[in-house]
Amino acid sequence: MNKRRQLEERFFRLCMVLSLILVLSVLVAILLTVFVKGAPALNLAMITQTPKGGYYLGKEGGIANAIVGSLCLAGGATLLSLLAGLPLAFALQREYSKRRTAGVTRLVLDVLWGVPSIVYGAFGFVIMQYLGVRASMLGGILTLTLVILPFMVRAMDEVIRMVPLELKEISYAAGATVWETSLAVVLRQALPGIVTAVILSFGRGIGDAAAILFTAGYTDYLPRSVMDPVASLPLAIFFQIATPIPEVQQRAYAAALLLLIIVLVVSLGSRVLGQRLARNILH
Amino acid sequence: MPHIRLRDLEIRYGKNTALRGINVDIPDGQLTAIIGPSGCGKTTLLKSINRLLDLYEEVQVRGEVQIDGANIYDPKADVLELRKKVGFMPQRPFPLPMSIYDNIAFGPRMHGITGEQIRVRIQQLKSQHLVEAVVGPAMSGAAPGSPMDLLVEHYLRLAGLWDEVRDRLREPAAKLSVGQQQRLALARALAVEPDVILADEPTSALDPISAKLIEKQFRLLKATYTIVVVTHVLRQARRIADYVMFMYLGELIEHGPAQQVLTAPRDERTKAYVSGEIS
Amino acid sequence: MGRAWGEMGTRVIHSLRARSRQDRVVAWVLRIALASVNVLTVLIAVGLLLKSMPILRTQSLGKLLLSSTWKPLQSQFGLLPFLSGTIATTVLAMLLAVPVCLLSAVYLAEYARSRVRNWIAPVIDLLAGIPSVVYGLWGVLVIVPAVRVLGKALGYSTTGYSLLAGATILGIMVAPIIISICTEVLRAVPTEARETALALGLTRWEVTRHVVLCSSRRGILAAVVLGFARAAGETMAVLMVVGNVPRVPSSLFAPAYPLPALIANNYGEMMSIPMYDSALMMAAFVLLVVVALFNLAARLALLRFARDEQ
């Protein structure tokens, strides 16, 4: 009897380990494929040049337009999200809103975070149509802001919520107002978490394609004004992989590698930076 | 030979030594209370007897815990058999996510008990005349039920819970009060027919009335089971214990019959604790 | 901020008043900002609904959702192929992903040492952070050819761009969400529960199956629903491997055409055909409502689970 049960135990443990190995090996496979395919195609010209004539037939040029465009889009959206999101994260705290209101808004934000980015893209498109604006960097940034704002607010909200009450009480006892305490004590204590949230949001923003498909457009030129269309890395990959010309497909691989490197660096960077900043605060 | 013998037991959590130099034979058929200030290793000692420390990381156990002469930390030891022999009640009762009935039947079922085995066991239980349970209506044949029904009823009676739950056996156990849940935990532990019952501050989460009920059941049960209770309530130890072990900072300072340890302790530290100078 | 501390009494009082006024103003601004989030949510739904009104006026919702004729040039906008495409890819993705994810989560929560767990958690996060086009690219390079070979071996003539390819990519993409939420949910089950069951003489797996999984089933269901919602809305990766033929998929190896892919593929031409944009916005609206409801249900279940475990 016990033998059979021990055997069952071992069988399921084996299944678990195999499952986990499967998941991890898929990750490794993705990283490997992109590196192996992308590395040979990645060179200085790819990074520094914009598409030249005949680029889409395999001639000279690079994807500098997409790199710069993506950095602008994700950077702009992250900045806007931070400006709007930090006050929102504070507004969710019990000093500023009732438990119920905060609870409902948290729920709404979680649901918004789950809304597909293609829906945000469609909504952005509707608004731009209504205003008579064509696909532009501004449109892309605003739509992307909608995509990453809920995530950023909730991430910041969680770290701000973790600030111990005792710490705030010390500040109140010293005569500071709620807002002064928020700025001087809470913000400083939560800063590592907030930095992590911001960097991760940037990572999410730069990888998103569906939201900017309608709203940011695409162009072979470097962005000059926020009202002009702008290229982006995800869309560069998407468009170039669809062509039948091998040289152009090569560039999709290179763009994918570049995007992956950015995302990896962002992911690792947020962790390292978060930990480094966390040294200065008490836990 | 006593069921439980601890030999040079030393337990470490990472670099911290939680217990050291524990040597004791826990007397059978008695209620042993482990007392001492909080953080002195009482719970660790208790859990080591059931290998529940396996759940925690970086626990190192040296020395031996012998149950019926076999060291349970032997790599070849059958942990399942061991745990069947040694029941455990946690500090906070945790009803399994199922009905009251299934909470009791769960252990026997998992161990693959057959109807025939249940019938044999019921015969044995009848001859024990442990509590009035054995002559209950179902047991005396008034209400025919499956063998498992009889078993469930028996253990619920042993835990002093039967009268309160007899009409709601199919309700989820989570609906019981905390005091009832704790007695359910007792019944559930008894249902796998252990020789030993370990209880980790079983009354600390309960109101005084429920605590009294648990104590009452322990007093009834100690004739047939070896019971080890961790408690930080000195008065409780005085009420129920036959044998007392006093722990202090991870060491077993003194152990002996309750009367002796609680009224005429030999060690200064025990004296200080028993007199209430330290707590 | 604290500049007035040691100064003359009157000035302190004066500035105290100013400071508490500032405090009240800030509180109001923040409350208004918070309310605007909820307003924005409604605005998104209403905006898409308004855009889909024109087509809803000409055809009934039931006909739009249940007709399988998709001929935009003849103003026939039956969404059934796309709805069935979404449902088929998503359900299949969950069938592939859930067992593996659940087993992985159980391992991480119940068996793995904390060092292993702390090492794997960031790796899972990394998997979640990979952009969807990169998944799509990998799908084109690896999954599609693999499905083609498998299909041929089983006697289907297929390009590999198929329902199965889409579902596989989706399954991989939702795995990190399901694993991390499940792990969290399982770890919220109190240790006492495990001790109690273990002390009855159960094996670790029996404890997991009968006690831990049972008491956390609501949380696990929520994790699965969240994964499902995420999969239903995923666009680019699926679009790149699923084949995009507007027909109700007939087999695993046949192409499918989920809703998000429909929206993404046709934004270019939708302005030139009457009612086309309205039909697409209605598709977006349907997607929004379905995904939001699933998310809402899952989040509420998770909140309830967290409350019960306390």
Side-chain angles (χ1 to χ4, degrees), chain B residues 4-21:
Chain B
I4 310 171
R5 292 157 37 127
L6 310 182
R7 288 292 172 265
D8 299 321
L9 187 65
E10 177 176 317
I11 294 177
R12 290 160 165 240
Y13 294 106
K15 286 182 189 130
N16 302 328
T17 307
L19 290 180
R20 64 175 97 68

Side-chain angles (χ1 to χ4, degrees), chain B residues 185-251:
Chain B
L186 178 60
R188 189 173 53 205
L190 290 170
V192 289
E193 279 295 296
D195 301 321
V196 179
I197 306 253
L198 308 175
D200 183 11
E201 304 202 10
T203 60
S204 65
L206 308 184
D207 60 283
I209 307 279
S210 305
K212 219 176 120 194
L213 282 171
I214 292 273
E215 284 182 16
K216 181 180 151 215
Q217 291 317 121
F218 277 163
R219 268 198 297 268
L220 273 170
L221 292 167
K222 70 186 183 187
T224 23
Y225 298 90
T226 301
I227 303 179
V228 185
V229 177
V230 163
T231 177
H232 68 281
V233 186
L234 204 52
R235 281 187 307 261
Q236 187 174 51
R238 285 189 214 281
R239 282 196 297 268
I240 59 174
D242 305 305
Y243 197 84
V244 169
M245 295 162 61
F246 173 67
M247 312 261 317
Y248 189 74
L249 298 178
E251 286 180 71

Side-chain angles (χ1 to χ4, degrees), chain B residues 10-15 19 53 57-62:
Chain B
E10 177 176 317
I11 294 177
R12 290 160 165 240
Y13 294 106
K15 286 182 189 130
L19 290 180
L53 298 174
E57 285 174 35
E58 298 190 352
V59 178
Q60 298 163 32
V61 180
R62 291 198 198 124

Side-chain angles (χ1 to χ4, degrees), chain C residues 108-222:
Chain C
L108 289 177
E110 301 293 313
Y111 289 86
R113 292 173 159 270
S114 61
R115 203 179 304 153
V116 177
R117 200 159 44 229
N118 293 339
W119 182 82
I120 289 190
V123 177
I124 301 275
D125 280 352
L126 199 66
L127 198 56
I130 295 179
S132 105
V133 273
V134 175
Y135 276 108
L137 181 86
W138 188 71
V140 171
L141 289 173
V142 177
I143 299 293
V144 169
V147 169
R148 184 162 50 223
V149 170
L150 182 70
K152 293 259 162 65
L154 293 175
Y156 290 91
S157 69
T158 173
T159 55
Y161 291 89
S162 60
L163 176 57
L164 183 59
T168 310
I169 281 293
L170 273 182
I172 295 169
M173 292 182 74
V174 296
I177 304 175
I178 302 181
I179 292 177
S180 56
I181 297 179
C182 279
T183 311
E184 227 169 274
V185 161
L186 293 173
R187 289 185 52 74
V189 176
T191 319
E192 279 103 330
R194 298 185 182 91
E195 281 179 353
T196 306
L198 214 51
L200 292 174
L202 270 64
T203 62
R204 283 304 286 273
W205 166 247
E206 285 163 346
V207 172
T208 304
R209 198 181 116 197
H210 295 285
V211 178
V212 180
L213 286 178
C214 263
S215 35
S216 53
R217 54 183 172 230
R218 182 180 291 145
I220 290 170
L221 186 67

Side-chain angles (χ1 to χ4, degrees), chain A residues 45-102:
Chain A
M46 279 293 291
I47 304 174
T48 54
Q49 293 179 8
T50 52
K52 300 272 155 51
Y55 172 81
Y56 292 101
L57 299 170
K59 298 265 175 60
E60 299 258 294
I63 48 169
N65 57 333
I67 298 170
V68 176
S70 257
L71 292 177
C72 289
L73 283 170
T78 309
L79 192 67
L80 270 185
S81 294
L82 178 63
L83 290 179
L86 197 56
L88 281 175
F90 272 110
L92 282 169
Q93 308 312 310
R94 64 165 142 201
E95 287 86 352
Y96 293 111
S97 38
K98 294 200 187 89
R99 246 185 76 155
R100 222 185 132 69
T101 322

